[in-house]
Amino acid sequence: MPARRSSSTIPFAVACVGIALFSGMDAAMKGLAIALGAYNAMLWRVGIGVVISVGPYLYKRGGWPSRPGLRVHLLRGGVTAVMAVLFFYGIAQLPLAEGIALSFVAPLIALYLAVVLLGEKVGRHSVIASIFGIVGVAVLVATRVGATGDRNLAGVAAILLSAIFYAWNIILMRQQALLASPTEVAFFQNLSVLGFLLLVAPFLAVVPDVRHVPMLLLSAVLAFCSLLLLSWAYARAEAQVLVPVEYTAFVWAAIMGAIFYAEPVTPTTILGAAFIVAGCIVAARGGRPDIAKLEAAI
C-alpha cells in the first residue's frame, strides 16, 4: 500500500498543476463568454487549440489513432463540447467560485451514472452523499435567488446540467489517457470538439473582434497545457485517486474571481461548497464504481 501511495504522488501533483492551469483558463473564458457568448468563445478557443496542438502531435510522430482510441476521442469530444458550452454559459452568469462549487456535484452524479450503465445498487453511503450534495446545491441556489431573484437561475441550471456531462467526462478522461499519448489526446480533443461545434457554426458563429484574440490565445494555451498534464497524470494513476484534485479548483476560482472580476466569496458559497465536497468524501468512503467495468460499458 505505501508503494502505491508513493507511485501516485507525482501524478497527483501534476494533476494539481493541471487543474490550476484549467482554472486560469476558466477565468479567461468567463470574460470571453460575457463578450462573445459561450458558444463563440468555445468555438474560437478550440480552433486556436487545434493549431497549437497539431505541431507537438506531429513532432511526436503521432499516427492515426486506433479504432478504440478514435471512438473515445469522438465520444469525449461530443461530451466536452456540450459540457463546456453549458459551463461557460453558466459562469458568465454567476460568480466564478460559485459556478465551480456547483460543478463539484459531478462525482456524486458519477455514482448514479454507474447505476444507469452497470445496474449497480445505490448503497447507504451514496444516499447520504446525495443528501449532502442536495443540501449544498440548495444553499447555493437559495443564495442566488436571495441575491438576484431568479434572473441567474438559468446559469445555475446550465452548470448543473454541465456537471452531468462532466461526470461522464471524468471516466472518459481515464479511458482516453490509457489509449493515447498526451499529445494525441490534446490534439484530437481540440479537433473533435471543434468538429462538433462547427455543426451549428452556420447559425451561431461570429468572427470575434481583434481585441479578443490575445485572451483567446491565452485560454487556448492554458487549456492545451492543462490537457497535457491531466492526460499524463490520468495515464499513471486511477481516476479515483485524482478526482479529489478537482476540489482545488474552488480555491483558484475564488482567487481569480476576486482579482479579475472583483467577485467576493460569500460565507454561504463556502458553506454550499463544503456540503457538496463532504458528500463526495462520504461517497468515496463507501467505495467507488468499478472503473474498469464502467469504461468497458461506455
Side-chain angles (χ1 to χ4, degrees), residues 58-145:
L58 294 176
Y59 177 77
K60 290 289 186 179
R61 300 182 184 277
W64 192 251
S66 63
R67 176 174 285 186
L70 185 59
R71 177 177 176 273
V72 176
H73 290 324
L74 291 173
L75 182 56
R76 190 179 174 206
V79 170
T80 300
V82 176
M83 174 196 79
V85 171
L86 287 169
F87 179 74
F88 293 132
Y89 172 82
I91 63 171
Q93 311 297 317
L94 305 174
L96 196 56
E98 188 176 321
I100 294 293
L102 283 167
S103 73
F104 284 164
V105 299
L108 298 179
I109 294 171
L111 294 173
Y112 293 93
L113 187 63
V115 173
V116 173
L117 294 176
L118 301 179
E120 293 184 355
K121 294 182 179 179
V122 178
R124 180 172 60 88
H125 281 83
S126 298
V127 174
I128 296 172
S130 298
I131 292 172
F132 273 107
I134 290 170
V135 170
V137 171
V139 169
L140 293 171
V141 172
T143 302
R144 178 63 21 208
V145 173

Side-chain angles (χ1 to χ4, degrees), residues 155-176:
V156 172
I159 289 178
L160 292 178
L161 185 56
S162 173
I164 296 174
F165 287 92
Y166 191 58
W168 193 359
N169 183 64
I170 290 173
I171 298 162
L172 290 171
M173 189 187 306
R174 168 68 173 166
Q175 185 182 29
Q176 190 181 38

Side-chain angles (χ1 to χ4, degrees), residues 19-74:
I19 291 296
L21 295 180
F22 218 83
S23 298
M25 183 272 295
D26 285 341
M29 286 294 288
K30 176 181 172 73
L32 289 168
I34 293 171
L36 305 174
Y39 169 80
N40 277 286
M42 187 64 184
L43 174 68
W44 293 103
R45 193 207 83 190
V46 296
I48 295 171
V50 169
V51 176
I52 292 173
S53 58
V54 68
Y57 176 63
L58 294 176
Y59 177 77
K60 290 289 186 179
R61 300 182 184 277
W64 192 251
S66 63
R67 176 174 285 186
L70 185 59
R71 177 177 176 273
V72 176
H73 290 324
L74 291 173

